Amino acid sequence: MDLNILKHLNKKQKESVVNYSGPTIILAGAGSGKTRVLVTKVIYLIKEKNISPSSIVMLTFTNKAAAEMKERIGHKLGGIIKLGFVGTYHSFCVRILRQFWEPAGLDKNFIIYDDGDQKTLIKQIILERKLEKKTPGYFSYYISLAKNQMITPETFLENFKFHQSALVADVYFHYQKKMDTNHGVDFDDLLIKTVQLFQKHKQVLGYFQNKFQYFLVDEFQDTNFVQYLLTKLLAERSKNVTVVGDFSQSIYSWRGADITNLKKFEKDFNGSKTFYLEENYRSTQKILDFAFNIISKNNTHPILHLFTDNKPGEDVVFYQAGNEQEEAIYVAEEIVRLISINNTIEPPNFAILYRTNAQSRVLEEVLLRYGMPYVLVGGTRFYERKEIKDILAYLKLLINPNESVSLERIKKLGKTRFAKFKILYDEIKDKLEAFQTDELMEKIFESVGYLKMFDSEDPDDFSRLENIKELKSVAVSFPELMDFLEQVALVESEYSQHEKETKDNRRLVLMTLHQAKGLEFDHVFIVGVEEGLLPHSRSIDDQFQLEEERRLFYVGITRAKKALYITNTRKRFIFGSQGYSTPSRFIADEQSFFE
């Protein structure tokens, strides 16, 4: 055996690599080197066991992860090695369906619909069936949820019981009918059509079972039912399947991830061996101990007790501010302080994480005030979000009805809304000063029905509604409309100047906890750790969702390498009104960490 292959692995990692045949579960904790293990296992199969590279399949969840693994494998083996497949489930299925389109019941030149195409098609159905009160996102969410469980339009009502389920089933039926007419498939169909192809045509399944003998699945905790079924079908002959994941980081149930897939795997692949990778190479022991104390309250999935050879490190810092402004100022001043006492620390070493996109607004404004370079990852700056720009356009027209940019913007929202707004303007134009900014917002909402454009049951629309409520919180602080609009303009001007002065990438990072998964930073601030934010108000009455919120908090904690800050407030101006805040239940038992 070439010991160089394994020399960089710890004992548990080596054991999981050399166990090369049969079903294998690798429970790999945060920062435990799972990518290194997956890459090494492929190299071990090729170099030590003489397995043909073309018989190995690696399934990932992002093209970025696939590219990284390809590069690492090629580097270790001294050149480009062509495996059977390395990539996402969806791209794997595209390859199969392009080859076996006819038995799959598809047109040879079938078209793949992306999210935008899908919503455009649903919008057509909404207009045809006069369902204007619902948004395309609402229907696409439930259709995707159904497809992830292989639920057809005909069986939808048997599986989903909610007040609009009959309506969704009807739209789902017409959506699929149009999709078939257009020779189209959406991303969920790629998976379903491949599974159905294998189930109906055993000779096709047999072809791929012979062609591919070894399967490695990354981020197994994020697989949905169809992805699990596809994995099972492909590997049920050879049994040589390795799944790697950390169920404490399963945070995507809202888009179909099925945490019970681990139990299914153990049942379907009897005699599977499980390896626990608990040595962490990222964080200090104090951060890991705090993480364990949080996640160990969950009881529906395996809990890993991470340890490290790193130094114990600094205590986790807990800070309670008077309000969200003070919270943001504390974070900014702490970052300034740390940079000032250590000139090797730079802004990219810091991340500020939060539960909802709406929380970025006050952080952005304070960081601009402090001249702190930042980048908003995976999101749009608060005042650049479409719904915010729409409302600002309405408000600007109350001041100047001839302002062309705002006029053009709200005309695009529909003739009826525009006509209603003109009626509202005529009614209040001579008494604007009698109304405070938040009252004017409410009048616009009531008059033009702007909020009716959004459906709170659509996750994307719910986030937009949170942003609108956050804008109302700003409006309450600036009761006079001109003062409010000037404040927004000043913030935007500061950002433009900030952009000119920080053209390089030396910026600290702002992002939601969901977006932080898979990343790491020296210093992490998790803000707003309060009831209603983390856990989110929509999750409080559901034990399953509460556990997922706790996992989301755990993901945020384990992003930190050297220092972790947990902050909340005594009062928070949220969604237009100020109220007392309650510290998150997740930290209620952890006060010893902060004393």
Side-chain angles (χ1 to χ4, degrees), residues 285-378:
Q285 192 61 53
K286 287 189 175 180
I287 290 172
L288 297 178
D289 288 344
F290 178 64
F292 177 75
N293 274 33
I294 297 297
I295 200 62
S296 61
K297 305 295 190 301
N298 279 7
N299 55 32
T300 59
H301 56 88
I303 305 295
L304 300 175
H305 200 157
L306 303 180
F307 66 92
T308 184
D309 279 342
N310 296 337
K311 294 178 181 178
E314 301 294 324
D315 290 339
V316 176
V317 178
F318 177 80
Y319 180 80
Q320 186 172 58
N323 56 43
E324 69 277 13
Q325 285 282 340
E326 290 180 16
E327 179 184 49
I329 289 169
Y330 167 77
V331 172
E333 291 190 343
E334 185 63 10
I335 293 171
V336 170
R337 184 187 73 81
L338 290 168
I339 291 175
S340 69
I341 62 176
N342 188 339
N343 59 16
T344 66
I345 301 177
E346 296 184 313
N349 298 134
F350 297 89
I352 306 173
L353 310 180
Y354 37 84
R355 177 62 179 86
T356 68
N357 279 303
Q359 288 172 260
S360 78
R361 195 272 308 173
V362 66
L363 291 163
E364 290 183 67
E365 292 188 10
V366 168
L367 290 172
L368 287 171
R369 200 182 313 154
Y370 275 75
M372 294 294 300
Y374 75 88
V375 60
L376 197 67
V377 174

Side-chain angles (χ1 to χ4, degrees), residues 20 51 145 156 211 236 258 293 307 321 403 409 416 466 501 503 516 557:
Y20 73 97
I51 302 301
L145 210 59
F156 187 89
K211 182 181 175 68
E236 64 184 358
D258 188 349
N293 274 33
F307 66 92
E403 200 274 290
R409 185 176 192 93
T416 303
E466 287 184 319
E501 294 173 356
K503 288 183 179 178
I557 293 166

Side-chain angles (χ1 to χ4, degrees), residues 264-275:
K264 293 190 186 86
F265 185 92
E266 290 172 327
K267 180 183 176 183
D268 293 333
F269 292 94
N270 191 29
S272 60
K273 292 182 180 178
T274 302
F275 297 88

Side-chain angles (χ1 to χ4, degrees), residues 546-568:
L546 262 180
E547 287 215 356
E548 181 148 323
E549 291 286 300
R550 190 178 280 111
R551 292 194 294 271
L552 188 58
F553 187 31
Y554 175 82
V555 165
I557 293 166
T558 53
R559 300 311 93 198
K561 296 165 69 176
K562 296 179 180 178
L564 175 66
Y565 294 77
I566 307 295
T567 71
N568 57 25

